[in-house]
Amino acid sequence: MLINNIDGLFGRGGEKSGANYELFYHFLGTDQCEDILCWTDPENPTYTCSALVTQDGKYVVMCITDGTDPVNKVYYYDLSLGLEGYKELPGFVKLVDNFDASYTYVANDDTIFTFLTNQDAPRNKIVRVDLKQPKPTCWEVVIQQDARDVLESATAVNGNQIVVTYMRDVKNVLQIRDLRNGDLLHHLSLDIGAVSEISCRRKDNIVFIGFTSFLVPGIIYACNLEGQVPDMTILRETTVPGFDRTEFEATQVFVSSKDDTKIPIFIVAKKGVELDGSHPCLLYGYGGFNISIKPDFVSSRIVLAKHLDVVYCSANIRGGGEYGEEWHKGGALANKQNCFDDFISAAQYLISAGYTHPNKLCIEGESNGGLLVGASINQRPDLFGCALAHVGVMDMLRFHLFTIGILWTSDYGCSEKEEEFNWLIKYSPLHNVRRPWDKASDKVIQYPSTMLLTADHDDRVVPLHSLKLLATMQHVLCTSLENSPQTHPIIGRIEQNAGHGYGKPTQKVIDEAADTYAFMAKAVGASWID
């Protein structure tokens, strides 16, 4: 990680081992051995850090995290004290020295700093503090937490204004507010979709806004704030040859989960789709680590909808950040089963509403979403015709022993603690593979056609998760019996010279999509339509 300063760069070490992070300052044009050690904490090897230089160039702001929970410490260093001549910095000033809440830097006027925080605000708020009076009682609220919407980001622009992004029922809303008092100045009009990025500088009056949705590949807006009314124009729009968005429609429904919690689901299909249960359907989910799954354009899924008549659905289950920290905690730790209940309820709705049939329903998830798929087919193998689990966390009793798995205990818990072991053993995909036909039933039930995907160099979710589950499923369901009722294939796909998915070459992405969705099409009986 690198953060620019005028004369050099701040960077960190420790990524390879996932522990013992350190922050260094590197002067441009000098040897790396001359770098200045700015921060280290050997007594807490799992702490990770990130840093930035404020836009006025006066301070370095460092955030320290431990695990994946949305909480962090905040330290700062006054750059007017200088950097040259040090081998190690004398130390950062501790502004927030606990893990009670998250703090994200927004702006500063000399010593007066503005942060976005979830302190006593699970849907976030904007606060201000003077470094000269840092006591908690001196912090001032600039924008209060909204009653329902999640305040996702705030970016300073045009002097004393901020662009504020809210998430309302998994759709983004943009506002211009006064940085000084939080007053609402303007609403910025957007279609239903997601803001992918905001880029601007406080000294400038133009904001660049990236936007996407299920049916919009990408638009970059330039919003000029110089006049009385914001002037928003399209700077650049991505087009996909052969794709006509008017042929499709994206709708949102709210489905009751097992405990009656309303779960939002986006449904993308051809216009006028008949609800006769005949359509192949792909249901995607994630549900973890406070990550929101927002509308996004994925070309391979458009191909499925156009040429295989697939109905694509995205379920915003608990565990994510779609409704703030309470929604996240509702699907974490002892509440993890809520994620699977939400996902299963979404599948049941798609069947009952006439979009699809169990034999034609495929579920897909990646990483934590792979865990979601693995647990779902264990708990309801009768509900799905196909399952695609990418780089999933499948061994919930030992995940913390490999690479950065220890950081996930804040969301999952840890099997070394008895109470948490009892949570994990109930849903761990590896430990809950059962022969569904052993249960008394009028019909023989088997697992859906299943593909477990991993990569030989995945150092985030190591391949052993998928490989152990693959071996277990094949043994329990297939090879341990002479005449197994399990006729649906249980297979693995191992990508070579690749990792968790980030930075994967285009050809590998295409090859994986072709293999994955060809398998799905065969399993659910989808036919190609020109």
Side-chain angles (χ1 to χ4, degrees):
M1 181 198 67
L2 298 175
I3 305 96
N4 293 329
N5 193 24
I6 295 173
D7 301 313
L9 303 166
F10 286 91
R12 70 185 184 191
E15 285 94 337
K16 283 191 175 181
S17 63
N20 296 303
Y21 277 67
E22 297 174 325
L23 182 72
F24 290 88
Y25 186 84
H26 174 75
F27 284 97
L28 296 178
T30 66
D31 194 277
Q32 186 177 348
C33 65
E34 299 176 28
D35 289 357
I36 300 169
L37 177 62
C38 300
W39 174 86
T40 184
D41 191 344
E43 293 183 3
N44 296 285
T46 61
Y47 283 10
T48 60
C49 69
S50 61
L52 59 82
V53 177
T54 57
Q55 286 196 17
D56 60 9
K58 293 182 179 180
Y59 297 92
V60 178
V61 179
M62 179 172 65
C63 293
I64 299 169
T65 59
D66 184 20
T68 56
D69 262 358
V71 295
N72 60 274
K73 299 182 179 184
V74 181
Y75 298 173
Y76 70 88
Y77 181 77
D78 186 345
L79 287 170
S80 67
L81 300 176
L83 291 164
E84 295 191 46
Y86 290 112
K87 189 63 181 173
E88 294 187 17
L89 283 188
F92 279 71
V93 179
K94 299 176 180 179
L95 178 62
V96 178
D97 196 29
N98 56 58
F99 290 118
D100 291 342
S102 71
Y103 297 86
T104 302
Y105 167 83
V106 176
N108 71 292
D109 291 292
D110 196 20
T111 62
I112 300 176
F113 276 64
T114 302
F115 291 93
L116 185 153
T117 181
N118 62 4
Q119 175 67 50
D120 298 322
R123 290 176 299 283
N124 301 333
K125 62 185 178 182
I126 303 291
V127 297
R128 181 175 297 127
V129 62
D130 190 334
L131 300 183
K132 297 175 183 177
Q133 296 178 307
K135 293 182 180 180
T137 55
C138 297
W139 290 61
E140 172 191 1
V141 177
V142 180
I143 300 178
Q144 292 282 2
Q145 170 184 244
D146 189 82
R148 178 173 172 81
D149 299 344
V150 179
L151 202 170
E152 281 194 317
S153 69
T155 311
V157 67
N158 199 28
N160 288 315
Q161 295 180 352
I162 48 176
V163 186
V164 178
T165 307
Y166 282 96
M167 182 162 53
R168 179 178 300 161
D169 286 330
V170 207
K171 302 174 288 287
N172 280 138
V173 176
L174 279 181
Q175 299 175 351
I176 303 297
R177 289 181 175 262
D178 193 308
L179 175 61
R180 294 162 294 190
N181 54 31
D183 286 351
L184 176 62
L185 303 177
H186 305 285
H187 287 283
L188 298 183
S189 179
L190 285 176
D191 289 335
I192 294 175
V195 173
S196 55
E197 188 173 358
I198 291 178
S199 179
C200 58
R201 294 183 296 186
R202 188 174 179 182
K203 66 180 182 179
D204 296 332
N205 53 35
I206 295 181
V207 185
F208 298 99
I209 302 164
F211 175 83
T212 187
S213 74
F214 292 112
L215 301 177
V216 177
I219 297 176
I220 300 175
Y221 293 100
C223 182
N224 193 323
L225 301 174
E226 190 174 13
Q228 292 294 318
V229 178
D231 180 19
M232 200 142 118
T233 58
I234 294 178
L235 178 66
R236 181 170 295 177
E237 182 170 5
T238 301
T239 58
V240 177
F243 169 63
D244 181 358
R245 74 182 67 166
T246 64
E247 296 177 0
F248 306 88
E249 59 183 353
T251 57
Q252 187 182 42
V253 297
F254 293 84
V255 175
S256 294
S257 188
K258 186 176 181 179
D259 61 359
D260 291 329
T261 299
K262 295 297 183 182
I263 308 301
I265 307 174
F266 285 105
I267 302 174
V268 182
K270 290 180 180 177
K271 282 186 176 178
V273 61
E274 292 187 28
L275 301 182
D276 58 3
S278 66
H279 306 281
C281 184
L282 177 62
L283 174 62
Y284 182 88
Y286 186 78
F289 299 100
N290 199 41
I291 294 173
S292 302
I293 305 301
K294 296 189 288 186
D296 188 24
F297 186 89
V298 181
S299 57
S300 59
R301 290 169 184 161
I302 293 298
V303 171
L304 298 181
K306 182 175 182 178
H307 294 292
L308 292 175
D309 195 31
V310 168
V311 177
Y312 171 70
C313 307
S314 178
N316 297 107
I317 62 178
R318 281 173 284 186
E322 287 86 350
Y323 291 99
E325 184 57 10
E326 292 170 344
W327 192 256
H328 168 220
K329 292 300 185 186
L333 299 173
N335 298 319
K336 190 64 179 175
Q337 180 60 38
N338 286 337
C339 300
F340 316 131
D341 292 340
D342 293 353
F343 199 57
I344 289 169
S345 297
Q348 291 172 323
Y349 167 80
L350 294 171
I351 294 166
S352 64
Y355 284 100
T356 191
H357 181 275
N359 292 340
K360 290 183 170 294
L361 177 57
C362 177
I363 54 174
E364 183 176 27
E366 301 163 309
S367 197
N368 175 76
L371 158 64
L372 172 67
V373 170
S376 296
I377 60 175
N378 278 340
Q379 295 181 17
R380 287 297 306 273
D382 60 308
L383 201 57
F384 316 109
C386 183
L388 307 171
H390 302 251
V391 293
V393 186
M394 302 303 190
D395 183 350
M396 300 308 298
L397 301 187
R398 291 173 57 80
F399 70 86
H400 61 288
L401 301 176
F402 305 99
T403 61
I404 63 169
I406 188 66
L407 302 181
W408 311 333
T409 56
S410 56
D411 227 63
Y412 296 143
C414 180
S415 62
E416 294 179 12
K417 299 178 181 178
E418 183 177 358
E419 180 186 12
E420 297 173 9
F421 173 91
N422 290 327
W423 306 338
L424 296 165
I425 192 63
K426 292 177 182 178
Y427 70 82
S428 175
L430 179 64
H431 301 92
N432 286 278
V433 178
R434 303 287 187 268
R435 294 170 181 162
W437 53 84
D438 286 345
K439 297 181 180 179
S441 176
D442 294 337
K443 62 177 182 178
V444 175
I445 299 171
Q446 60 174 310
Y447 271 67
S449 299
T450 302
M451 178 184 284
L452 306 178
L453 297 92
T454 186
D456 60 1
H457 283 69
D458 190 342
D459 60 357
R460 177 165 294 195
V461 180
V462 291
L464 65 86
H465 286 278
S466 296
L467 300 180
K468 288 168 71 175
L469 180 59
L470 178 64
T472 300
M473 292 180 70
Q474 290 181 341
H475 174 73
V476 172
L477 303 174
C478 304
T479 59
S480 59
L481 299 174
E482 280 191 24
N483 297 302
S484 172
Q486 181 66 40
T487 58
H488 296 156
I490 309 291
I491 67 172
R493 186 185 189 278
I494 305 169
E495 187 68 77
Q496 292 181 297
N497 300 315
H500 199 59
Y502 303 105
K504 188 180 291 183
T506 302
Q507 189 58 55
K508 283 185 179 292
V509 173
I510 294 171
D511 291 345
E512 181 177 305
D515 290 348
T516 302
Y517 295 131
F519 179 81
M520 180 201 78
K522 179 70 173 177
V524 302
S527 300
W528 185 265
I529 305 169
D530 287 326

